[in-house]
Amino acid sequence: MNRFFQIAAAAALVAFAGASAHAATSGAVKLSGKVDAVCQVAVTDHSAALDLVKGETNAKVATIVEDCNDPQGFKISFASQNGGDLKSDAGHTADYTVNYDSTQNRDLNGGMQLNRQEAQFSESHELTVNIPSSDTRTAGTYTDTITVTIAAN
């Protein structure tokens, strides 16, 4: 009986080897890849010296480049450290509004968010500010910091 199993195993091995030696007439290779969502913002601060007495209209303060490959789009947000005011060391304030892309004369008290509906690459926009004139501002250096954030939808 042992001899029978040896012969049967040898026959099966020969049959398997013969079957695998035959090549098919076609075959398929599946390719697959992945691209992660990446959103970036580049802010170039122009270090603008703003005239708080005479005022400013559309003063260029920064160039912002938006980059986001998410097909569902993204949000670009602006937040003011001082609630939309320039503040002096003594606590005096000077109001201002911003212009960015199609948004005009926007107060940053509470921030600002723009929704992009699709991916954009190297989309550049100027951030400008408007400051009303005033000859009654107290002396001092007035500052604010605007933080720009980008996030995929």
Side-chain angles (χ1 to χ4, degrees), residues 41-43 62 64 66 76-79 100 127 145-150:
V41 64
V43 178
I64 299 169
E66 305 168 10
I76 186 98
S77 303
F78 299 79
Y100 184 77
L127 178 66
T145 300
I146 299 172
T147 302
V148 183
T149 307
I150 192 169

Side-chain angles (χ1 to χ4, degrees), residues 7-58:
I7 293 171
L13 185 58
V14 169
F16 177 74
S20 64
H22 295 290
T25 58
S26 68
V29 176
K30 182 179 179 181
L31 301 177
S32 178
K34 181 180 179 187
V35 177
D36 292 325
V38 177
C39 295
Q40 301 177 71
V41 64
V43 178
T44 303
D45 184 337
H46 297 314
S47 301
L50 302 170
D51 188 334
L52 303 183
V53 175
K54 292 181 183 176
E56 297 283 355
T57 302
N58 297 321

